[in-house]
Amino acid sequence: MRLHSVLGLIGLGYLASASNLRARDYDAQDYYVLHLDSTTPPSQVALQLGLAHEGQLGELEDHHIFSCHKQEVDVVHTALKERRRRKRSFGGSDILDGVKFAQKQKIKARMEKRGPLPPPPEGYAAPVEERQESPSEAVLAKQAAVAAALDIQDPIFHEQWHLLNPVQVGHDVNVTDVWMQGITGHNATVAIVDDGLDMYSDDLKDNYYAEGSYDFNDNVLEPKPRLADDRHGTRCAGEVSAVKNNVCGVGVAWDSKIAGIRILSKLITDADEAVAMNYAYQHNQIYSCSWGPPDDGRSMDAPGILIKRAMLNAVQNGRGGLGSIYVFASGNGAANEDNCNFDGYTNSIYSITVGAIDRKGLHPYYSEKCSAQLVVTYSSGSGDAIHTTDVGTNACYNGHGGTSAAAPLAAGIFALVLQIRPDLTWRDMQYLVMQTALPVDLDTGDWQDTTMGLKYSHTFGYGKIDSWATIEAAKTFKNVKPQAWYYSPWIHVNQAIPQGLEGLAVSFEVYPEMLKAANLERLEHVTVTMNVAHTRRGDLSVDLVSPDKVLSHLSASRKLDNAPEGYDDWTFMSVVHWGESGIGTWTIVVKDTNVNEFNGTFIDWHLKLWGEAIDPAAATLLPMPSEHDDDNHDQIISTTSIAGTTTTLAPVSTQTSLMANPTDHPDRPVNAKPTGTTEDENTPTNTPAATGIPSSWLPSFFPTFGASPKTQIWIYGSAALIVIFCSAVGIYLFMARRKRLRNNPRDEWEFDLLEEDEAEGLNGGGKVGGKKGGKRRAGELYDAFAAGSEDESDGEYVDGVEGGDEQEKRLYEDSDDEGRHVIGEDEDEEEVVNEKFSSVE
Ligand SMILES: *[C@@H]1O[C@H](CO)[C@@H](O)[C@H](O)[C@H]1NC(C)=O
Ligand SMILES: *[C@@H]1O[C@H](CO)[C@@H](O)[C@H](O)[C@H]1NC(C)=O
Ligand SMILES: *[C@@H]1O[C@H](CO)[C@@H](O)[C@H](O)[C@H]1NC(C)=O
């Protein structure tokens, strides 16, 4: 029976759009997601394209799903191309002009569960040893007292050492005195996004939240485990919300509601996952995700653009606007030297990344490190694992482990927090969790002191979650102000990376005025998007040193990663700089530590500082990401045709200030970017001038930008001093927008990119593989000053070389002589531009 008829029969009014959930038939049908102008009726688009309109894509406004019978060609791409061709010749208007983005759906790569562990490396033979340590009488007495006081009769409660550990005293989540206060997860809801949830288990059924549950693999309402190994989700669910009864044990938040969202048991598309990640997001408060790209030490993968949009949509609109809480397992690939910064889910600023410690408080061999890891909590290792519910009416499991078991435990603790503080935002939760985490195992783990007065370890994050401390702090937690951000310009480097320990260091100076203009008071997350060309990716590592001399290992070398490429617009994330002002010199160090025949070039990078706003009233919401967010340094050049003239620009030598003093233009809203997704519009507005910008800031080419006034303000919104340090001789630093040369420069750029988009980075548009970008970039001959962008992000003003205003002006004048090219606004011009750059290349 088709789902929509089921829905029709039982009339489930809570589903915003039941048509989102029509069963897909990937064997017989093709599916397209189109982002439409809000005035364009999807039914008419469907009619014109000969497709069936399947409804809105989950909670993503103006995104719609269409279907037709399966065929080789991308019929939408073909039709849009034809429409643009006709528009060039005949003009006029057409319903298809309202299509801002189109993507034919492909089955996406399988996400792997983070429960099953790879074998431990040599010398790590699982210590079965002294499990016979004798328990503490005092803790046993406490266990009995707690059970009596709370009427816990669950038969394996005494085995659940992660809740109260009588053997390794103190190595548990310290939750019993939280329960004693009546804080047990009441009125909080956690969704387990996984391979199903056994809602008929006697240990789960009373807490099962049907309205928040759905099976995206079999297109039915109940996310029942159906395959033999569909046990992972149920085990995770038990950790959170196993009912206090006479079956197995208890969940850490045993009164919470638990939903199941089944996505891991069959292959799905980005569209399905985007819907799943927003499913019932006004009611499901926390999404616990114990999966991700393979932890094989080779993968470097991030969610596609639709999933990225869904996650941003969730933090902006989910939970009544407070933001969905995403919890991700850090990954089990540590033995493969995998690192959670190579995973675009765990390194998203929108997810809380949770790693594992074992029952002795030690780092288990599998738990991945990275600068995006926020905290750790208990899981398998040192001879034991997590004891929880299993699939079956009355089945328990004592071997649940990996970081898969850590993430739901954290999610359950966050449910306890939401019982008493349902008003906390997604960012409040991150503050609360990190500020109350306890450093563990101080002798190992390379702990460093952070500016906030906390300790951070890439192995343990800010430490282990202590439920009691978290709840105590939650009681009086003062909500933080809204988010603000500052984006540096793209910083062009284009230097060979010396092999050995030294590395190539490049610095960027952030001035108080920049952050003031960005309305940014103090830092939370820091992201770095970068391009490195290399013939063996695993040889690379990257460190970031903040103005306060706090160190983030953004990436680490990986022995198994033989990919013959570097990083292509990949975004790394760090939570290590939390609480810093951000003002001062940021230095990035790219290393190629393996002295061998594989070498590379550091091409460019881009620093983004995220944090708390100065003035809440001036805060804005981040626009939806597009696949062009981090390659628009290319578009800048193509839009203004400056690059053609800049080959004549004299290289800037070491230690040179490229920027003028920005103090004469206060209060420019650097992050007041337009909220539209102009990047994927075919016809960006070409407003000739911006109001409110001091005219002295407007170079002569200004009107040639295809940007809205707001965008222009933003483009001009930052200025910087760049200083570069390097061991190599003759370093040139260029503030530049680089043209990304495409295999087929004549193709429409919007759709040229679509083929690549499944590999987009979550918070920066990082592309895996970089088949097109990296190598070509390495060979580029020109570096250039360039500025302006017709689209929403990353614009910035480059205020000339010290004493080089003349030169800059000449540059811009040249660009006028070259003609004014606005990509997307007129395709003929775009092609001219492309041609020009092809010849430059
Ligand atoms: C655990 O909770 C108790 C309150 O029950 C508290 O006094 C203690 O500081 C917490 N932390 C540890 C590590 O025991
Ligand atoms: C339950 O949670 C909702 C949403 O978070 C909140 O509005 C409501 O006040 C809560 N109810 C109770 C009894 O705490
Ligand atoms: C590796 O080194 C060679 C010789 O210096 C150079 O031509 C090549 O561009 C380098 N490769 C990369 C990816 O930087």
Side-chain angles (χ1 to χ4, degrees), residues 142 170 172-178 181 438 464 466-469:
K142 182 173 182 181
D172 54 47
V173 296
N174 202 20
V175 73
T176 52
D177 282 346
V178 173
Q181 299 170 51
L438 298 181
K464 67 164 181 168
D466 182 282
S467 313
W468 186 82

Side-chain angles (χ1 to χ4, degrees), residues 186-188 282 285 319 322 418-423:
H186 178 72
N187 200 28
Q282 299 310 343
Q285 297 171 307
R319 212 161 51 93
L322 296 169
L418 290 184
Q419 174 182 335
I420 58 163
R421 291 297 305 271
D423 63 308

Side-chain angles (χ1 to χ4, degrees), residues 495-497 499 532-536 564-566 597-603 774-775 778-779:
Q495 291 298 314
I497 303 161
Q499 294 200 337
V532 175
H534 203 280
T535 51
R536 189 180 181 282
E565 60 204 10
E597 68 273 32
F598 302 112
N599 64 328
T601 302
F602 181 12
I603 299 171
K775 284 175 217 123

Side-chain angles (χ1 to χ4, degrees), residues 203-318:
D203 213 11
L204 294 173
K205 67 180 181 195
D206 290 349
N207 286 340
Y208 176 60
Y209 184 59
E211 290 86 342
S213 301
Y214 192 72
D215 183 339
F216 286 87
N217 290 134
D218 286 297
N219 298 291
V220 291
L221 287 173
E222 283 192 339
K224 230 164 105 70
R226 288 163 203 278
L227 306 178
D229 71 343
D230 283 350
R231 296 175 169 270
H232 186 251
T234 301
R235 292 165 180 171
C236 291
E239 288 182 81
V240 178
S241 194
V243 175
K244 179 168 72 73
N245 57 10
N246 55 2
V247 183
C248 295
V250 292
V252 70
W254 73 63
D255 279 327
S256 62
K257 292 282 171 218
I258 190 87
I261 295 175
R262 185 165 178 260
I263 63 165
L264 299 181
S265 302
K266 281 183 187 169
L267 296 173
I268 59 171
T269 60
D270 279 11
D272 297 334
E273 191 175 309
V275 178
M277 295 298 270
N278 284 171
Y279 192 76
Y281 74 169
Q282 299 310 343
H283 301 288
N284 289 333
Q285 297 171 307
I286 300 169
Y287 292 77
S288 182
C289 304
S290 291
W291 45 267
D295 297 327
D296 53 12
R298 298 182 185 93
S299 298
M300 186 162 184
D301 205 355
I305 189 70
L306 293 174
I307 302 164
K308 283 195 271 182
R309 288 182 183 186
M311 290 180 75
L312 180 62
N313 186 41
V315 300
Q316 293 184 346
N317 300 311

